[in-house]
Amino acid sequence: MRTDAELRGDLLAELGRLRRAVPEITGCLVASTDGLLIADDARALVVEGVAALAAACLGVSQRIADSAGHDAFQEVLISSTGGHAAMYLAGHGAVLVLLADADANIGRLHHEARKATAGISRVMAEAALTFAQALPEPARW
């Protein structure tokens, strides 16, 4: 069974790989779909607030996709004059959030983020399994 520190290290390694692959990324984080920060590679940013807002945006985006009759929601991109914010489902219960400069290559951002979600999904699944294995046995009456 791997430790929390090892699993968090794997997430941070994936976030670091993303920043190297897409230099225009100014911040990235992994949050739970209920808005709790799990891991981040961001500077000068209130990551807890971004995590909470990303979860809210993700929920609304999923509802829109459902209402439109589309299949399973995958990602959302917000573009503004100052840059981009992109959110990607990363397995069950996690979201990858990327913040990038306005001149970022969005195709490259999506490509690298989609690769990263596979690795993050694996880590999150392993973390859930580790947590489940650590739970005490239920009392038998």
Side-chain angles (χ1 to χ4, degrees):
M1 184 167 28
R2 298 182 62 212
T3 67
D4 288 347
E6 290 171 327
L7 294 168
R8 185 171 186 280
D10 289 350
L11 291 175
L12 291 173
E14 191 61 48
L15 295 179
R17 186 201 66 75
L18 265 171
R19 285 180 75 104
R20 288 186 301 280
V22 185
E24 299 83 12
I25 291 176
T26 59
C28 48
L29 60 96
V30 177
S32 67
T33 52
D34 59 358
L36 299 175
L37 181 65
I38 297 171
D40 73 277
D41 184 355
R43 297 166 196 77
L45 180 68
V46 182
V47 288
E48 291 83 3
V50 172
L53 290 168
C57 181
L58 185 74
V60 169
S61 298
Q62 286 176 311
R63 296 284 304 262
I64 291 170
D66 289 345
S67 295
H70 296 165
D71 291 334
F73 170 81
Q74 295 176 334
E75 61 199 41
V76 64
L77 174 69
I78 300 169
S79 295
S80 65
T81 56
H84 307 280
M87 289 149 275
Y88 305 84
L89 278 180
H92 181 71
V95 58
L96 169 64
V97 180
L98 301 178
L99 305 173
D101 291 332
D103 62 347
N105 179 326
I106 298 303
R108 177 81 174 168
L109 183 81
H110 283 321
H111 175 74
E112 294 297 335
R114 290 170 185 151
K115 286 192 325 190
T117 59
I120 292 167
S121 296
R122 282 191 296 277
V123 172
M124 295 304 296
E126 189 174 350
L129 179 61
T130 299
F131 176 75
Q133 291 172 340
L135 291 175
E137 288 290 321
R140 295 201 170 118
W141 303 98

